[in-house]
Amino acid sequence: MENLSPAPGKKILLYGVLILLIYLFAISIFGGNILLHLFGAKEITAGILFSSRLLFWSSLLLVFVYAKKVEHQKLLIWEERKYQFWQYLVSFIAIIFALVIGLIVIAVIFLKLGLIKESDKFKQLLEIFKVNQWLIFFTAGTAGIVEELTFRGYIQPRLTILTKSPAIAIIISSVLFGLLHFGYGTVMQMVGPFFIGFIFAIYYYNFRNIKILIFCHILWDVMAIYLQMFMPHLKK
């Protein structure tokens, strides 16, 4: 008879969530300046952008090792459900539709309140993307895989156990996801990700499939970057 490892205690789960969050926010706050110093540069370059994405990949390695060696369980504690192709297609359409409608409403509200502001950091990234388009896919792939596996795959289920409330776990994980994007320097760049994280968290709780969220996240980021890259041409 197979010996099953006992479920990890709540303290172990809490420590894992806190360690991951501290690491992610440390990367967001200090990672850029450290890389600028190491590269001897005054502004973001393609090499710095690439290296910063590697730092986020290291967070996934960190949490994978913690889950396996400390928690003695898989990173994804919610069993992944499989669906038929048409169900994936419907999920994709529904998620993208919800994001488009929701973010348009948020943008209109921000516009009415005079809170729309361009992100200087994002403008720098767009200039890099224009001459290094492979970085668009690497950046979007990093965000889609790392952020979904850490926030939805790792943090959300453990917060559900810790708080005993799926709704609270969804809200907290979404707020944290939005705050992680504070480095872009605008409120919209945090509220938008919060809404995206909220929609993704609701889907993950109900349907338990991280693959569709990774796909949607990557595609959404690629579309968003290309749209903003060519927006000046669309206005002419």
Side-chain angles (χ1 to χ4, degrees), residues 185-220:
T186 69
V187 177
M188 185 64 183
Q189 289 285 356
M190 290 187 287
V191 175
F194 161 76
F195 177 74
I196 293 171
F198 184 72
I199 295 298
F200 283 5
I202 290 175
Y203 179 89
Y204 190 53
Y205 175 73
N206 286 286
F207 298 98
R208 308 291 171 91
N209 188 281
I210 202 74
K211 291 188 290 291
I212 187 65
L213 293 179
I214 290 173
F215 178 76
C216 288
H217 194 146
I218 293 173
L219 184 61
W220 180 266

PDB file of all heavy atoms in Angstrom, residues 185-220:
ATOM      1  N   GLY A 185       4.090  52.506 -13.249  1.00  0.00           N
ATOM      2  CA  GLY A 185       3.953  53.902 -12.844  1.00  0.00           C
ATOM      3  C   GLY A 185       2.603  54.549 -13.027  1.00  0.00           C
ATOM      4  O   GLY A 185       2.469  55.753 -12.818  1.00  0.00           O
ATOM      5  N   THR A 186       1.570  53.796 -13.420  1.00  0.00           N
ATOM      6  CA  THR A 186       0.239  54.376 -13.559  1.00  0.00           C
ATOM      7  C   THR A 186      -0.787  53.507 -12.835  1.00  0.00           C
ATOM      8  O   THR A 186      -0.598  52.303 -12.677  1.00  0.00           O
ATOM      9  CB  THR A 186      -0.187  54.498 -15.037  1.00  0.00           C
ATOM     10  OG1 THR A 186      -0.412  53.192 -15.575  1.00  0.00           O
ATOM     11  CG2 THR A 186       0.883  55.201 -15.857  1.00  0.00           C
ATOM     12  N   VAL A 187      -1.868  54.153 -12.421  1.00  0.00           N
ATOM     13  CA  VAL A 187      -2.941  53.437 -11.724  1.00  0.00           C
ATOM     14  C   VAL A 187      -3.608  52.447 -12.671  1.00  0.00           C
ATOM     15  O   VAL A 187      -3.946  51.328 -12.291  1.00  0.00           O
ATOM     16  CB  VAL A 187      -3.985  54.428 -11.168  1.00  0.00           C
ATOM     17  CG1 VAL A 187      -5.137  53.674 -10.502  1.00  0.00           C
ATOM     18  CG2 VAL A 187      -3.339  55.377 -10.166  1.00  0.00           C
ATOM     19  N   MET A 188      -3.780  52.877 -13.916  1.00  0.00           N
ATOM     20  CA  MET A 188      -4.425  52.014 -14.907  1.00  0.00           C
ATOM     21  C   MET A 188      -3.644  50.726 -15.107  1.00  0.00           C
ATOM     22  O   MET A 188      -4.233  49.658 -15.323  1.00  0.00           O
ATOM     23  CB  MET A 188      -4.552  52.757 -16.244  1.00  0.00           C
ATOM     24  CG  MET A 188      -5.327  51.994 -17.311  1.00  0.00           C
ATOM     25  SD  MET A 188      -7.060  51.738 -16.857  1.00  0.00           S
ATOM     26  CE  MET A 188      -7.631  50.759 -18.241  1.00  0.00           C
ATOM     27  N   GLN A 189      -2.313  50.803 -15.014  1.00  0.00           N
ATOM     28  CA  GLN A 189      -1.473  49.626 -15.213  1.00  0.00           C
ATOM     29  C   GLN A 189      -1.556  48.666 -14.024  1.00  0.00           C
ATOM     30  O   GLN A 189      -1.008  47.572 -14.082  1.00  0.00           O
ATOM     31  CB  GLN A 189      -0.015  50.045 -15.436  1.00  0.00           C
ATOM     32  CG  GLN A 189       0.241  50.707 -16.781  1.00  0.00           C
ATOM     33  CD  GLN A 189       0.244  49.718 -17.942  1.00  0.00           C
ATOM     34  OE1 GLN A 189       0.120  48.526 -17.751  1.00  0.00           O
ATOM     35  NE2 GLN A 189       0.365  50.232 -19.154  1.00  0.00           N
ATOM     36  N   MET A 190      -2.227  49.071 -12.955  1.00  0.00           N
ATOM     37  CA  MET A 190      -2.485  48.161 -11.839  1.00  0.00           C
ATOM     38  C   MET A 190      -3.933  47.689 -11.832  1.00  0.00           C
ATOM     39  O   MET A 190      -4.208  46.530 -11.551  1.00  0.00           O
ATOM     40  CB  MET A 190      -2.131  48.834 -10.503  1.00  0.00           C
ATOM     41  CG  MET A 190      -0.649  49.054 -10.284  1.00  0.00           C
ATOM     42  SD  MET A 190      -0.260  49.664  -8.625  1.00  0.00           S
ATOM     43  CE  MET A 190      -0.843  51.360  -8.771  1.00  0.00           C
ATOM     44  N   VAL A 191      -4.852  48.600 -12.147  1.00  0.00           N
ATOM     45  CA  VAL A 191      -6.273  48.242 -12.162  1.00  0.00           C
ATOM     46  C   VAL A 191      -6.563  47.250 -13.286  1.00  0.00           C
ATOM     47  O   VAL A 191      -7.333  46.296 -13.100  1.00  0.00           O
ATOM     48  CB  VAL A 191      -7.148  49.499 -12.312  1.00  0.00           C
ATOM     49  CG1 VAL A 191      -8.622  49.123 -12.465  1.00  0.00           C
ATOM     50  CG2 VAL A 191      -6.975  50.409 -11.098  1.00  0.00           C
ATOM     51  N   GLY A 192      -5.951  47.467 -14.444  1.00  0.00           N
ATOM     52  CA  GLY A 192      -6.138  46.541 -15.561  1.00  0.00           C
ATOM     53  C   GLY A 192      -5.727  45.125 -15.211  1.00  0.00           C
ATOM     54  O   GLY A 192      -6.515  44.186 -15.356  1.00  0.00           O
ATOM     55  N   PRO A 193      -4.489  44.917 -14.738  1.00  0.00           N
ATOM     56  CA  PRO A 193      -4.069  43.579 -14.312  1.00  0.00           C
ATOM     57  C   PRO A 193      -4.915  43.012 -13.178  1.00  0.00           C
ATOM     58  O   PRO A 193      -5.136  41.801 -13.125  1.00  0.00           O
ATOM     59  CB  PRO A 193      -2.622  43.800 -13.857  1.00  0.00           C
ATOM     60  CG  PRO A 193      -2.145  44.919 -14.712  1.00  0.00           C
ATOM     61  CD  PRO A 193      -3.327  45.843 -14.824  1.00  0.00           C
ATOM     62  N   PHE A 194      -5.385  43.877 -12.266  1.00  0.00           N
ATOM     63  CA  PHE A 194      -6.273  43.392 -11.209  1.00  0.00           C
ATOM     64  C   PHE A 194      -7.527  42.769 -11.822  1.00  0.00           C
ATOM     65  O   PHE A 194      -7.940  41.668 -11.431  1.00  0.00           O
ATOM     66  CB  PHE A 194      -6.688  44.525 -10.266  1.00  0.00           C
ATOM     67  CG  PHE A 194      -7.923  44.206  -9.466  1.00  0.00           C
ATOM     68  CD1 PHE A 194      -7.854  43.347  -8.371  1.00  0.00           C
ATOM     69  CD2 PHE A 194      -9.162  44.731  -9.816  1.00  0.00           C
ATOM     70  CE1 PHE A 194      -9.000  43.026  -7.642  1.00  0.00           C
ATOM     71  CE2 PHE A 194     -10.303  44.418  -9.100  1.00  0.00           C
ATOM     72  CZ  PHE A 194     -10.224  43.561  -8.010  1.00  0.00           C
ATOM     73  N   PHE A 195      -8.120  43.459 -12.794  1.00  0.00           N
ATOM     74  CA  PHE A 195      -9.335  42.941 -13.429  1.00  0.00           C
ATOM     75  C   PHE A 195      -9.044  41.654 -14.187  1.00  0.00           C
ATOM     76  O   PHE A 195      -9.814  40.687 -14.110  1.00  0.00           O
ATOM     77  CB  PHE A 195      -9.923  43.986 -14.382  1.00  0.00           C
ATOM     78  CG  PHE A 195     -11.139  43.496 -15.127  1.00  0.00           C
ATOM     79  CD1 PHE A 195     -12.356  43.374 -14.481  1.00  0.00           C
ATOM     80  CD2 PHE A 195     -11.044  43.135 -16.460  1.00  0.00           C
ATOM     81  CE1 PHE A 195     -13.474  42.908 -15.155  1.00  0.00           C
ATOM     82  CE2 PHE A 195     -12.158  42.662 -17.140  1.00  0.00           C
ATOM     83  CZ  PHE A 195     -13.376  42.549 -16.487  1.00  0.00           C
ATOM     84  N   ILE A 196      -7.925  41.635 -14.909  1.00  0.00           N
ATOM     85  CA  ILE A 196      -7.536  40.424 -15.634  1.00  0.00           C
ATOM     86  C   ILE A 196      -7.339  39.265 -14.664  1.00  0.00           C
ATOM     87  O   ILE A 196      -7.828  38.150 -14.886  1.00  0.00           O
ATOM     88  CB  ILE A 196      -6.250  40.672 -16.450  1.00  0.00           C
ATOM     89  CG1 ILE A 196      -6.525  41.673 -17.578  1.00  0.00           C
ATOM     90  CG2 ILE A 196      -5.709  39.354 -17.028  1.00  0.00           C
ATOM     91  CD1 ILE A 196      -5.283  42.149 -18.304  1.00  0.00           C
ATOM     92  N   GLY A 197      -6.616  39.526 -13.574  1.00  0.00           N
ATOM     93  CA  GLY A 197      -6.386  38.491 -12.563  1.00  0.00           C
ATOM     94  C   GLY A 197      -7.677  38.013 -11.943  1.00  0.00           C
ATOM     95  O   GLY A 197      -7.827  36.822 -11.630  1.00  0.00           O
ATOM     96  N   PHE A 198      -8.626  38.931 -11.762  1.00  0.00           N
ATOM     97  CA  PHE A 198      -9.924  38.595 -11.176  1.00  0.00           C
ATOM     98  C   PHE A 198     -10.694  37.634 -12.079  1.00  0.00           C
ATOM     99  O   PHE A 198     -11.239  36.617 -11.612  1.00  0.00           O
ATOM    100  CB  PHE A 198     -10.719  39.880 -10.949  1.00  0.00           C
ATOM    101  CG  PHE A 198     -12.038  39.675 -10.256  1.00  0.00           C
ATOM    102  CD1 PHE A 198     -12.088  39.347  -8.907  1.00  0.00           C
ATOM    103  CD2 PHE A 198     -13.233  39.824 -10.948  1.00  0.00           C
ATOM    104  CE1 PHE A 198     -13.307  39.167  -8.265  1.00  0.00           C
ATOM    105  CE2 PHE A 198     -14.448  39.641 -10.318  1.00  0.00           C
ATOM    106  CZ  PHE A 198     -14.488  39.313  -8.975  1.00  0.00           C
ATOM    107  N   ILE A 199     -10.743  37.948 -13.368  1.00  0.00           N
ATOM    108  CA  ILE A 199     -11.437  37.085 -14.334  1.00  0.00           C
ATOM    109  C   ILE A 199     -10.768  35.718 -14.401  1.00  0.00           C
ATOM    110  O   ILE A 199     -11.421  34.668 -14.380  1.00  0.00           O
ATOM    111  CB  ILE A 199     -11.460  37.731 -15.735  1.00  0.00           C
ATOM    112  CG1 ILE A 199     -12.280  39.015 -15.728  1.00  0.00           C
ATOM    113  CG2 ILE A 199     -12.007  36.750 -16.776  1.00  0.00           C
ATOM    114  CD1 ILE A 199     -13.749  38.834 -15.382  1.00  0.00           C
ATOM    115  N   PHE A 200      -9.431  35.717 -14.462  1.00  0.00           N
ATOM    116  CA  PHE A 200      -8.688  34.463 -14.534  1.00  0.00           C
ATOM    117  C   PHE A 200      -8.879  33.623 -13.266  1.00  0.00           C
ATOM    118  O   PHE A 200      -8.999  32.400 -13.331  1.00  0.00           O
ATOM    119  CB  PHE A 200      -7.204  34.743 -14.748  1.00  0.00           C
ATOM    120  CG  PHE A 200      -6.840  35.122 -16.158  1.00  0.00           C
ATOM    121  CD1 PHE A 200      -7.804  35.310 -17.133  1.00  0.00           C
ATOM    122  CD2 PHE A 200      -5.513  35.299 -16.516  1.00  0.00           C
ATOM    123  CE1 PHE A 200      -7.479  35.657 -18.425  1.00  0.00           C
ATOM    124  CE2 PHE A 200      -5.161  35.642 -17.815  1.00  0.00           C
ATOM    125  CZ  PHE A 200      -6.150  35.824 -18.774  1.00  0.00           C
ATOM    126  N   ALA A 201      -8.889  34.284 -12.108  1.00  0.00           N
ATOM    127  CA  ALA A 201      -9.038  33.563 -10.839  1.00  0.00           C
ATOM    128  C   ALA A 201     -10.417  32.917 -10.726  1.00  0.00           C
ATOM    129  O   ALA A 201     -10.552  31.788 -10.236  1.00  0.00           O
ATOM    130  CB  ALA A 201      -8.804  34.511  -9.670  1.00  0.00           C
ATOM    131  N   ILE A 202     -11.441  33.621 -11.169  1.00  0.00           N
ATOM    132  CA  ILE A 202     -12.800  33.057 -11.154  1.00  0.00           C
ATOM    133  C   ILE A 202     -12.860  31.834 -12.056  1.00  0.00           C
ATOM    134  O   ILE A 202     -13.426  30.795 -11.696  1.00  0.00           O
ATOM    135  CB  ILE A 202     -13.831  34.116 -11.613  1.00  0.00           C
ATOM    136  CG1 ILE A 202     -13.968  35.205 -10.548  1.00  0.00           C
ATOM    137  CG2 ILE A 202     -15.192  33.453 -11.867  1.00  0.00           C
ATOM    138  CD1 ILE A 202     -14.877  36.343 -10.970  1.00  0.00           C
ATOM    139  N   TYR A 203     -12.262  31.971 -13.249  1.00  0.00           N
ATOM    140  CA  TYR A 203     -12.256  30.832 -14.178  1.00  0.00           C
ATOM    141  C   TYR A 203     -11.517  29.650 -13.569  1.00  0.00           C
ATOM    142  O   TYR A 203     -12.001  28.515 -13.626  1.00  0.00           O
ATOM    143  CB  TYR A 203     -11.605  31.224 -15.509  1.00  0.00           C
ATOM    144  CG  TYR A 203     -11.562  30.075 -16.490  1.00  0.00           C
ATOM    145  CD1 TYR A 203     -12.622  29.841 -17.361  1.00  0.00           C
ATOM    146  CD2 TYR A 203     -10.479  29.189 -16.534  1.00  0.00           C
ATOM    147  CE1 TYR A 203     -12.602  28.770 -18.243  1.00  0.00           C
ATOM    148  CE2 TYR A 203     -10.453  28.119 -17.396  1.00  0.00           C
ATOM    149  CZ  TYR A 203     -11.517  27.905 -18.250  1.00  0.00           C
ATOM    150  OH  TYR A 203     -11.492  26.837 -19.096  1.00  0.00           O
ATOM    151  N   TYR A 204     -10.354  29.911 -12.991  1.00  0.00           N
ATOM    152  CA  TYR A 204      -9.548  28.800 -12.464  1.00  0.00           C
ATOM    153  C   TYR A 204     -10.251  28.088 -11.318  1.00  0.00           C
ATOM    154  O   TYR A 204     -10.187  26.865 -11.212  1.00  0.00           O
ATOM    155  CB  TYR A 204      -8.183  29.319 -12.008  1.00  0.00           C
ATOM    156  CG  TYR A 204      -7.213  28.197 -11.673  1.00  0.00           C
ATOM    157  CD1 TYR A 204      -6.970  27.183 -12.593  1.00  0.00           C
ATOM    158  CD2 TYR A 204      -6.550  28.150 -10.450  1.00  0.00           C
ATOM    159  CE1 TYR A 204      -6.089  26.145 -12.305  1.00  0.00           C
ATOM    160  CE2 TYR A 204      -5.664  27.117 -10.155  1.00  0.00           C
ATOM    161  CZ  TYR A 204      -5.438  26.127 -11.075  1.00  0.00           C
ATOM    162  OH  TYR A 204      -4.589  25.094 -10.788  1.00  0.00           O
ATOM    163  N   TYR A 205     -10.931  28.845 -10.465  1.00  0.00           N
ATOM    164  CA  TYR A 205     -11.641  28.211  -9.351  1.00  0.00           C
ATOM    165  C   TYR A 205     -12.766  27.303  -9.863  1.00  0.00           C
ATOM    166  O   TYR A 205     -12.981  26.203  -9.353  1.00  0.00           O
ATOM    167  CB  TYR A 205     -12.232  29.256  -8.406  1.00  0.00           C
ATOM    168  CG  TYR A 205     -13.061  28.624  -7.316  1.00  0.00           C
ATOM    169  CD1 TYR A 205     -12.452  27.936  -6.262  1.00  0.00           C
ATOM    170  CD2 TYR A 205     -14.455  28.675  -7.352  1.00  0.00           C
ATOM    171  CE1 TYR A 205     -13.208  27.321  -5.277  1.00  0.00           C
ATOM    172  CE2 TYR A 205     -15.221  28.065  -6.372  1.00  0.00           C
ATOM    173  CZ  TYR A 205     -14.584  27.391  -5.333  1.00  0.00           C
ATOM    174  OH  TYR A 205     -15.344  26.772  -4.373  1.00  0.00           O
ATOM    175  N   ASN A 206     -13.470  27.755 -10.892  1.00  0.00           N
ATOM    176  CA  ASN A 206     -14.625  27.007 -11.371  1.00  0.00           C
ATOM    177  C   ASN A 206     -14.269  25.879 -12.332  1.00  0.00           C
ATOM    178  O   ASN A 206     -14.942  24.830 -12.330  1.00  0.00           O
ATOM    179  CB  ASN A 206     -15.614  27.965 -12.060  1.00  0.00           C
ATOM    180  CG  ASN A 206     -16.361  28.829 -11.072  1.00  0.00           C
ATOM    181  OD1 ASN A 206     -17.256  28.358 -10.373  1.00  0.00           O
ATOM    182  ND2 ASN A 206     -16.007  30.091 -10.990  1.00  0.00           N
ATOM    183  N   PHE A 207     -13.213  26.062 -13.132  1.00  0.00           N
ATOM    184  CA  PHE A 207     -12.930  25.087 -14.181  1.00  0.00           C
ATOM    185  C   PHE A 207     -11.600  24.355 -14.016  1.00  0.00           C
ATOM    186  O   PHE A 207     -11.352  23.375 -14.731  1.00  0.00           O
ATOM    187  CB  PHE A 207     -12.998  25.761 -15.549  1.00  0.00           C
ATOM    188  CG  PHE A 207     -14.359  26.319 -15.867  1.00  0.00           C
ATOM    189  CD1 PHE A 207     -14.639  27.663 -15.677  1.00  0.00           C
ATOM    190  CD2 PHE A 207     -15.377  25.488 -16.322  1.00  0.00           C
ATOM    191  CE1 PHE A 207     -15.904  28.180 -15.949  1.00  0.00           C
ATOM    192  CE2 PHE A 207     -16.642  25.992 -16.592  1.00  0.00           C
ATOM    193  CZ  PHE A 207     -16.905  27.348 -16.401  1.00  0.00           C
ATOM    194  N   ARG A 208     -10.742  24.822 -13.132  1.00  0.00           N
ATOM    195  CA  ARG A 208      -9.505  24.124 -12.778  1.00  0.00           C
ATOM    196  C   ARG A 208      -8.673  23.705 -13.995  1.00  0.00           C
ATOM    197  O   ARG A 208      -8.248  22.567 -14.108  1.00  0.00           O
ATOM    198  CB  ARG A 208      -9.822  22.874 -11.938  1.00  0.00           C
ATOM    199  CG  ARG A 208     -10.716  23.141 -10.734  1.00  0.00           C
ATOM    200  CD  ARG A 208     -10.005  23.944  -9.674  1.00  0.00           C
ATOM    201  NE  ARG A 208     -10.916  24.375  -8.613  1.00  0.00           N
ATOM    202  CZ  ARG A 208     -11.166  23.679  -7.504  1.00  0.00           C
ATOM    203  NH1 ARG A 208     -10.583  22.516  -7.306  1.00  0.00           N
ATOM    204  NH2 ARG A 208     -12.000  24.149  -6.598  1.00  0.00           N
ATOM    205  N   ASN A 209      -8.453  24.653 -14.898  1.00  0.00           N
ATOM    206  CA  ASN A 209      -7.596  24.359 -16.044  1.00  0.00           C
ATOM    207  C   ASN A 209      -6.656  25.542 -16.256  1.00  0.00           C
ATOM    208  O   ASN A 209      -7.089  26.617 -16.673  1.00  0.00           O
ATOM    209  CB  ASN A 209      -8.416  24.103 -17.304  1.00  0.00           C
ATOM    210  CG  ASN A 209      -7.556  23.618 -18.461  1.00  0.00           C
ATOM    211  OD1 ASN A 209      -6.888  24.404 -19.114  1.00  0.00           O
ATOM    212  ND2 ASN A 209      -7.554  22.308 -18.708  1.00  0.00           N
ATOM    213  N   ILE A 210      -5.378  25.340 -15.938  1.00  0.00           N
ATOM    214  CA  ILE A 210      -4.406  26.429 -16.024  1.00  0.00           C
ATOM    215  C   ILE A 210      -3.918  26.641 -17.443  1.00  0.00           C
ATOM    216  O   ILE A 210      -3.475  27.745 -17.800  1.00  0.00           O
ATOM    217  CB  ILE A 210      -3.210  26.140 -15.080  1.00  0.00           C
ATOM    218  CG1 ILE A 210      -2.458  27.435 -14.726  1.00  0.00           C
ATOM    219  CG2 ILE A 210      -2.252  25.124 -15.697  1.00  0.00           C
ATOM    220  CD1 ILE A 210      -3.189  28.304 -13.764  1.00  0.00           C
ATOM    221  N   LYS A 211      -4.023  25.617 -18.283  1.00  0.00           N
ATOM    222  CA  LYS A 211      -3.479  25.712 -19.642  1.00  0.00           C
ATOM    223  C   LYS A 211      -4.212  26.759 -20.468  1.00  0.00           C
ATOM    224  O   LYS A 211      -3.582  27.518 -21.210  1.00  0.00           O
ATOM    225  CB  LYS A 211      -3.546  24.338 -20.326  1.00  0.00           C
ATOM    226  CG  LYS A 211      -2.589  23.314 -19.733  1.00  0.00           C
ATOM    227  CD  LYS A 211      -2.540  22.046 -20.552  1.00  0.00           C
ATOM    228  CE  LYS A 211      -3.837  21.257 -20.423  1.00  0.00           C
ATOM    229  NZ  LYS A 211      -4.007  20.691 -19.065  1.00  0.00           N
ATOM    230  N   ILE A 212      -5.534  26.807 -20.360  1.00  0.00           N
ATOM    231  CA  ILE A 212      -6.291  27.789 -21.138  1.00  0.00           C
ATOM    232  C   ILE A 212      -5.963  29.202 -20.667  1.00  0.00           C
ATOM    233  O   ILE A 212      -5.909  30.140 -21.471  1.00  0.00           O
ATOM    234  CB  ILE A 212      -7.817  27.520 -21.060  1.00  0.00           C
ATOM    235  CG1 ILE A 212      -8.572  28.446 -22.013  1.00  0.00           C
ATOM    236  CG2 ILE A 212      -8.332  27.693 -19.637  1.00  0.00           C
ATOM    237  CD1 ILE A 212      -8.271  28.224 -23.466  1.00  0.00           C
ATOM    238  N   LEU A 213      -5.695  29.370 -19.368  1.00  0.00           N
ATOM    239  CA  LEU A 213      -5.350  30.689 -18.844  1.00  0.00           C
ATOM    240  C   LEU A 213      -3.974  31.124 -19.330  1.00  0.00           C
ATOM    241  O   LEU A 213      -3.770  32.301 -19.654  1.00  0.00           O
ATOM    242  CB  LEU A 213      -5.387  30.678 -17.318  1.00  0.00           C
ATOM    243  CG  LEU A 213      -6.771  30.481 -16.693  1.00  0.00           C
ATOM    244  CD1 LEU A 213      -6.674  30.477 -15.179  1.00  0.00           C
ATOM    245  CD2 LEU A 213      -7.736  31.572 -17.162  1.00  0.00           C
ATOM    246  N   ILE A 214      -3.042  30.192 -19.388  1.00  0.00           N
ATOM    247  CA  ILE A 214      -1.704  30.505 -19.909  1.00  0.00           C
ATOM    248  C   ILE A 214      -1.806  30.947 -21.368  1.00  0.00           C
ATOM    249  O   ILE A 214      -1.210  31.945 -21.777  1.00  0.00           O
ATOM    250  CB  ILE A 214      -0.767  29.286 -19.775  1.00  0.00           C
ATOM    251  CG1 ILE A 214      -0.440  29.028 -18.299  1.00  0.00           C
ATOM    252  CG2 ILE A 214       0.518  29.496 -20.581  1.00  0.00           C
ATOM    253  CD1 ILE A 214       0.348  27.752 -18.056  1.00  0.00           C
ATOM    254  N   PHE A 215      -2.578  30.202 -22.149  1.00  0.00           N
ATOM    255  CA  PHE A 215      -2.755  30.533 -23.561  1.00  0.00           C
ATOM    256  C   PHE A 215      -3.408  31.908 -23.720  1.00  0.00           C
ATOM    257  O   PHE A 215      -2.945  32.737 -24.514  1.00  0.00           O
ATOM    258  CB  PHE A 215      -3.609  29.456 -24.241  1.00  0.00           C
ATOM    259  CG  PHE A 215      -3.889  29.743 -25.691  1.00  0.00           C
ATOM    260  CD1 PHE A 215      -2.909  29.556 -26.655  1.00  0.00           C
ATOM    261  CD2 PHE A 215      -5.135  30.200 -26.093  1.00  0.00           C
ATOM    262  CE1 PHE A 215      -3.159  29.835 -27.998  1.00  0.00           C
ATOM    263  CE2 PHE A 215      -5.400  30.475 -27.427  1.00  0.00           C
ATOM    264  CZ  PHE A 215      -4.408  30.295 -28.381  1.00  0.00           C
ATOM    265  N   CYS A 216      -4.488  32.165 -22.968  1.00  0.00           N
ATOM    266  CA  CYS A 216      -5.189  33.450 -23.051  1.00  0.00           C
ATOM    267  C   CYS A 216      -4.281  34.595 -22.622  1.00  0.00           C
ATOM    268  O   CYS A 216      -4.285  35.670 -23.241  1.00  0.00           O
ATOM    269  CB  CYS A 216      -6.437  33.431 -22.174  1.00  0.00           C
ATOM    270  SG  CYS A 216      -7.793  32.419 -22.812  1.00  0.00           S
ATOM    271  N   HIS A 217      -3.509  34.376 -21.572  1.00  0.00           N
ATOM    272  CA  HIS A 217      -2.622  35.413 -21.046  1.00  0.00           C
ATOM    273  C   HIS A 217      -1.553  35.781 -22.074  1.00  0.00           C
ATOM    274  O   HIS A 217      -1.312  36.971 -22.342  1.00  0.00           O
ATOM    275  CB  HIS A 217      -1.966  34.913 -19.759  1.00  0.00           C
ATOM    276  CG  HIS A 217      -1.310  35.997 -18.962  1.00  0.00           C
ATOM    277  ND1 HIS A 217      -1.274  35.980 -17.584  1.00  0.00           N
ATOM    278  CD2 HIS A 217      -0.648  37.134 -19.326  1.00  0.00           C
ATOM    279  CE1 HIS A 217      -0.633  37.059 -17.144  1.00  0.00           C
ATOM    280  NE2 HIS A 217      -0.232  37.758 -18.185  1.00  0.00           N
ATOM    281  N   ILE A 218      -0.930  34.774 -22.667  1.00  0.00           N
ATOM    282  CA  ILE A 218       0.112  35.030 -23.664  1.00  0.00           C
ATOM    283  C   ILE A 218      -0.467  35.766 -24.869  1.00  0.00           C
ATOM    284  O   ILE A 218       0.086  36.775 -25.327  1.00  0.00           O
ATOM    285  CB  ILE A 218       0.779  33.720 -24.112  1.00  0.00           C
ATOM    286  CG1 ILE A 218       1.569  33.102 -22.957  1.00  0.00           C
ATOM    287  CG2 ILE A 218       1.698  33.961 -25.314  1.00  0.00           C
ATOM    288  CD1 ILE A 218       2.126  31.718 -23.264  1.00  0.00           C
ATOM    289  N   LEU A 219      -1.578  35.260 -25.380  1.00  0.00           N
ATOM    290  CA  LEU A 219      -2.185  35.873 -26.565  1.00  0.00           C
ATOM    291  C   LEU A 219      -2.631  37.295 -26.272  1.00  0.00           C
ATOM    292  O   LEU A 219      -2.446  38.203 -27.098  1.00  0.00           O
ATOM    293  CB  LEU A 219      -3.374  35.032 -27.035  1.00  0.00           C
ATOM    294  CG  LEU A 219      -4.050  35.512 -28.323  1.00  0.00           C
ATOM    295  CD1 LEU A 219      -3.054  35.494 -29.480  1.00  0.00           C
ATOM    296  CD2 LEU A 219      -5.259  34.649 -28.657  1.00  0.00           C
ATOM    297  N   TRP A 220      -3.208  37.510 -25.086  1.00  0.00           N
ATOM    298  CA  TRP A 220      -3.665  38.853 -24.716  1.00  0.00           C
ATOM    299  C   TRP A 220      -2.504  39.833 -24.673  1.00  0.00           C
ATOM    300  O   TRP A 220      -2.598  40.948 -25.195  1.00  0.00           O
ATOM    301  CB  TRP A 220      -4.374  38.806 -23.369  1.00  0.00           C
ATOM    302  CG  TRP A 220      -4.878  40.156 -22.939  1.00  0.00           C
ATOM    303  CD1 TRP A 220      -4.249  41.061 -22.131  1.00  0.00           C
ATOM    304  CD2 TRP A 220      -6.109  40.775 -23.345  1.00  0.00           C
ATOM    305  NE1 TRP A 220      -5.006  42.193 -21.997  1.00  0.00           N
ATOM    306  CE2 TRP A 220      -6.152  42.045 -22.729  1.00  0.00           C
ATOM    307  CE3 TRP A 220      -7.168  40.368 -24.163  1.00  0.00           C
ATOM    308  CZ2 TRP A 220      -7.223  42.909 -22.901  1.00  0.00           C
ATOM    309  CZ3 TRP A 220      -8.246  41.245 -24.339  1.00  0.00           C
ATOM    310  CH2 TRP A 220      -8.261  42.497 -23.707  1.00  0.00           C
TER     311      TRP A 220
END
